[in-house]
Amino acid sequence: DAFGKKEINAKKKKEKKLCRFCDILKYEKPILVFSKGEKIKSPPYNNWTTCVVANKYPAFSPSLKMNHRKIGPYRVMDGVGFHELVVTRDHRQTIAEMNISQIKEIIDAYQERYLDLSNEPLVNYVSIFHNQGEKAGATVAHPHSQIIAIPTFDSDIQSSINGSKRYLKKYGQCPHCTMIKYDQKDQKRVVFENKEFLVTCPFVSRVAFEVRIYPKVHRGYFERIKNGSKWQLAEAFKKTFKALDLALNHPDYNFFLHTAPCDGQNYDHYHWNWQIIPHTQIWAGFELGTEIEISTITPEAAAEFLRHKINFKL
Ligand SMILES: [Zn+2]
Ligand SMILES: [Zn+2]
């Protein structure tokens, strides 16, 4: 374990010399800047700890109107939307190694950008995700999250939302609430729990050691999270990522937010949550997004393993 960590640090030291993100505000105009939990509204930004900038190579770029065209049998749309990066200062420090107030600052940035972007007229969906490490598809080693705000959302999201609605109608509560109650009673898949959040290895896991973080009370819209809940969520993040680091020796991972669209319709039936997909050695070279589901370890065994790692001091 210690050896793995040493190797990682040596590698990171080498990368740091060439890293543009370490001093990103020398090159990019910030959209949002924090310094130790406080918002910095004007320069100098020397002491920034978390900042948001527009992505230099955007998957989408802002445009005033969607340009729908027909080409042959296809309806095409120009890339419309926003692509932003949430960058934390330290080149080596992953979420597992941050303290709770640093993680809270990231959550503050997520929420503030979500609220702003969701108010853009053409934006109907905001996606927040984080790729850590090469196996997770991160092209830049410096820890950062990405926010994409777009006019449409794909059929997977739509069918998950519709599924929640049908389930609620049939059973009187959303599928996640049902699962949360079952997991709380059963305890076998619970990794961590605080006043407001439940961390579990889901019954139906896509990969070994998949983790979900849920608000225990039914909530449809992540962006409405209150300040006190953000501290609770930050603690859940800290516990989760630290346990994964200890259990799987600093795995690469992806995590993403599942939340209601912001297209003006009512999605109160939805239950927001964070999904974390670690890339264990077993998964090296395996493409996420394939439909193949293999779990080499049951969610119950994974949760137990993580629980044992979680009793560290914060
Ligand atoms: Zn860096
Ligand atoms: Zn629910």
Side-chain angles (χ1 to χ4, degrees):
D1 191 26
F3 178 71
K5 185 73 194 157
K6 217 170 161 186
E7 257 190 342
I8 289 167
N9 276 339
K11 194 174 165 225
K12 284 187 178 174
K13 207 168 179 177
K14 218 165 127 191
E15 291 160 357
K16 195 183 167 183
K17 282 187 191 152
L18 311 162
C19 179
R20 190 182 165 87
F21 279 33
C22 282
D23 266 319
I24 196 154
L25 293 186
K26 274 193 186 156
Y27 314 102
E28 307 288 339
K29 204 173 137 237
I31 296 167
L32 179 63
V33 183
F34 286 97
S35 178
K36 296 196 168 116
E38 300 289 323
K39 220 157 98 177
I40 307 295
K41 288 185 176 150
S42 55
Y45 300 123
N46 307 0
N47 297 321
W48 69 275
T49 45
T50 300
C51 72
V52 180
V53 296
N55 190 8
K56 197 160 175 276
Y57 307 102
F60 307 92
S61 52
S63 159
L64 276 177
K65 76 182 211 294
M66 272 192 277
N67 190 10
H68 284 287
R69 300 188 303 278
K70 277 193 86 167
I71 297 179
Y74 304 107
R75 242 166 89 84
V76 296
M77 193 175 75
D78 287 343
V80 180
F82 301 84
H83 189 178
E84 299 180 354
L85 306 173
V86 180
V87 183
T88 46
R89 186 87 191 235
D90 194 301
H91 186 83
R92 295 182 216 184
Q93 196 175 36
T94 60
I95 289 175
E97 289 144 2
M98 292 177 188
N99 62 38
I100 290 181
S101 33
Q102 289 172 290
I103 300 170
K104 160 74 163 44
E105 193 174 83
I106 298 174
I107 298 168
D108 285 337
Y110 289 166
Q111 182 185 31
E112 178 153 348
R113 292 313 302 144
Y114 190 111
L115 288 168
D116 266 10
L117 289 167
S118 63
N119 280 327
E120 291 286 338
L122 287 172
V123 169
N124 291 316
Y125 194 78
V126 179
S127 171
I128 302 178
F129 60 98
H130 185 113
N131 302 332
Q132 185 66 50
E134 280 166 26
K135 274 180 231 149
T139 48
V140 174
H142 192 116
H144 65 284
S145 309
Q146 304 183 50
I147 304 178
I148 284 174
I150 45 177
T152 51
F153 41 96
D154 67 39
S155 54
D156 275 6
I157 294 163
Q158 189 65 61
S159 69
S160 149
I161 290 163
N162 293 344
S164 278
K165 197 170 190 173
R166 274 196 306 274
Y167 189 99
L168 177 76
K169 219 171 167 183
K170 197 167 169 192
Y171 299 103
Q173 66 179 359
C174 98
H176 295 314
C177 281
T178 303
M179 207 206 66
I180 288 163
K181 278 172 198 153
Y182 181 63
D183 280 351
Q184 278 182 304
K185 202 175 149 202
D186 187 56
Q187 284 293 316
K188 285 186 188 141
R189 284 167 300 279
V190 174
V191 175
F192 174 74
E193 190 174 353
N194 62 17
K195 207 171 91 226
E196 295 185 44
F197 291 91
L198 184 75
V199 182
T200 67
C201 292
F203 190 77
V204 182
S205 288
R206 200 162 145 206
V207 301
F209 287 95
E210 175 180 338
V211 175
R212 294 252 190 173
I213 303 177
Y214 293 98
K216 292 200 265 189
V217 174
H218 183 85
R219 295 274 181 264
Y221 302 87
F222 164 75
E223 70 273 24
R224 295 182 190 170
I225 189 171
K226 299 271 195 314
N227 197 50
S229 307
K230 283 190 278 184
W231 284 106
Q232 294 269 311
L233 180 59
E235 186 195 29
F237 264 85
K238 169 77 192 184
K239 289 282 190 181
T240 302
F241 286 105
K242 184 75 184 177
L244 284 168
D245 259 19
L246 293 170
L248 302 171
N249 194 19
H250 311 277
D252 291 352
Y253 54 79
N254 306 92
F255 71 81
F256 10 80
L257 173 67
H258 296 269
T259 189
C262 48
D263 58 357
Q265 294 194 54
N266 186 313
Y267 294 100
D268 282 337
H269 57 276
Y270 200 65
H271 194 135
W272 68 260
N273 64 89
W274 290 92
Q275 181 180 19
I276 299 142
I277 307 270
H279 296 251
T280 61
Q281 289 302 338
I282 310 148
W283 288 88
F286 222 91
E287 282 292 312
L288 272 180
T290 58
E291 294 307 308
I292 309 155
E293 289 183 337
I294 303 169
S295 281
T296 48
I297 177 169
T298 63
E300 291 78 11
E304 193 186 355
F305 197 50
L306 292 172
R307 264 200 315 274
H308 281 298
K309 299 288 181 191
I310 223 162
N311 296 318
F312 52 84
K313 271 203 188 138
L314 283 173

